[in-house]
Amino acid sequence: VSGLSNYSLVEQDGTDNEVQLLAQYGSGNFFSIDQDGERNIVRQFPDQGSDADGRPSIDGVIGITQDGSDNVVWDADQRGFGNELLIEQRGADNFADFESQVTMEEGSGNFASILQDGTGNKVGQAGTGFGAYQQGSGNSMMIEQTGSDNEAGTQQVPLANLSIGGLALDPENRGSEGGQSLNQIGDGHVFELTQDGDDDLRFLLQDGSGNEAYVVQGAGANAHDITQIGTGNTASVTQN
């Protein structure tokens, strides 16, 4: 689908349902997925922006809601600026990843929000190796996990030079889109993580200048590895 202000709504009830291969290009597009049940998956896209003609997504929204257990958000891509990616999972043993959000030019950044309510939920390990990745300026990422035995950034990724969405990273920038950690590459990013319970932050990588990371964790939680490369970075970890 291409153009302006396209709208797509997918609703699925039951088990072993899949959503895949939907792409939107242009401005003001909206894509909503609502899955209720078990072992449902959102795979291979949804994708907003960066088609063969290089058209970005501007002010696009992807909203994904999953209720149940063993559900997976495998992949969601947005390339452009002013986009929002909203993932909400309620239940147990759910996995949430978004492959990438890339700011393709100067302007407002993209925003990603992942909310998980339950036990044994994870951000950054959906079986594909994808993690949560943002590249560009002014992007922000917020993750909130309520419950116990949840994890954010479940495995460390190799440091390597790469190209995302046709944009080559500077040789001094390091990271991996295909990883199971939380990655922000560029400048002026903000990362916020709130965990309420016996949870873990495994690996967070910020590479660039002026990045900020704020982590609030409940009783029994751990912050294992926060890496910031560049200048003017701030890391704040509060454990209650």
Side-chain angles (χ1 to χ4, degrees):
V1 179
S2 63
L4 303 177
S5 301
N6 296 300
Y7 181 87
S8 177
L9 173 63
V10 178
E11 295 184 348
Q12 294 176 319
D13 292 327
T15 60
D16 299 313
N17 296 306
E18 290 191 11
V19 173
Q20 59 180 312
L21 300 178
L22 185 140
Q24 293 175 320
Y25 311 111
S27 301
N29 294 311
F30 181 80
F31 182 32
S32 175
I33 300 172
D34 190 343
Q35 293 177 318
D36 188 355
E38 298 180 352
R39 300 190 305 276
N40 296 311
I41 185 170
V42 177
R43 74 164 78 235
Q44 288 185 305
F45 311 130
D47 193 345
Q48 286 182 329
S50 189
D51 65 346
D53 296 325
R55 287 176 293 178
S57 173
I58 303 171
D59 297 329
V61 177
I62 296 177
I64 302 173
T65 301
Q66 293 177 321
D67 286 298
S69 60
D70 298 304
N71 295 309
V72 174
V73 176
W74 177 340
D75 187 15
D77 295 340
Q78 290 174 314
R79 288 170 173 81
F81 51 90
N83 299 303
E84 294 186 15
L85 174 62
L86 312 173
I87 299 174
E88 184 173 351
Q89 295 176 314
R90 293 182 291 268
D93 301 317
N94 297 308
F95 294 87
D97 293 341
F98 65 89
E99 186 181 0
S100 66
Q101 277 188 323
V102 177
T103 302
M104 298 180 65
E105 57 186 82
E106 292 297 324
S108 60
N110 300 309
F111 173 72
S113 172
I114 301 176
L115 305 179
Q116 293 179 320
D117 184 4
T119 60
N121 297 309
K122 293 179 173 62
V123 176
Q125 190 180 11
T128 67
F130 295 145
Y133 186 98
Q134 290 180 319
Q135 177 195 338
S137 61
N139 296 316
S140 60
M141 183 190 311
M142 183 187 73
I143 299 174
E144 182 175 343
Q145 293 176 316
T146 302
S148 60
D149 298 321
N150 300 309
E151 294 183 9
T154 54
Q155 294 187 20
Q156 194 170 22
V157 299
L159 299 179
N161 298 326
L162 73 159
S163 174
I164 302 298
L167 299 177
L169 294 181
D170 186 274
E172 294 300 316
N173 285 326
R174 294 164 295 277
S176 177
E177 181 186 11
Q180 293 171 337
S181 68
L182 312 173
N183 300 269
Q184 290 179 313
I185 307 298
D187 55 2
H189 295 302
V190 176
F191 172 82
E192 298 180 48
L193 170 66
T194 301
Q195 294 176 317
D196 180 11
D198 186 9
D199 308 317
D200 286 338
L201 167 61
R202 292 290 179 176
F203 301 101
L204 166 65
L205 170 65
Q206 291 179 315
D207 188 355
S209 60
N211 298 310
E212 300 179 15
Y214 301 98
V215 179
V216 178
Q217 296 178 310
N222 299 292
H224 291 265
D225 191 338
I226 298 176
T227 301
Q228 293 176 315
I229 303 171
T231 61
N233 298 309
T234 300
S236 172
V237 179
T238 301
Q239 294 174 315
N240 299 312

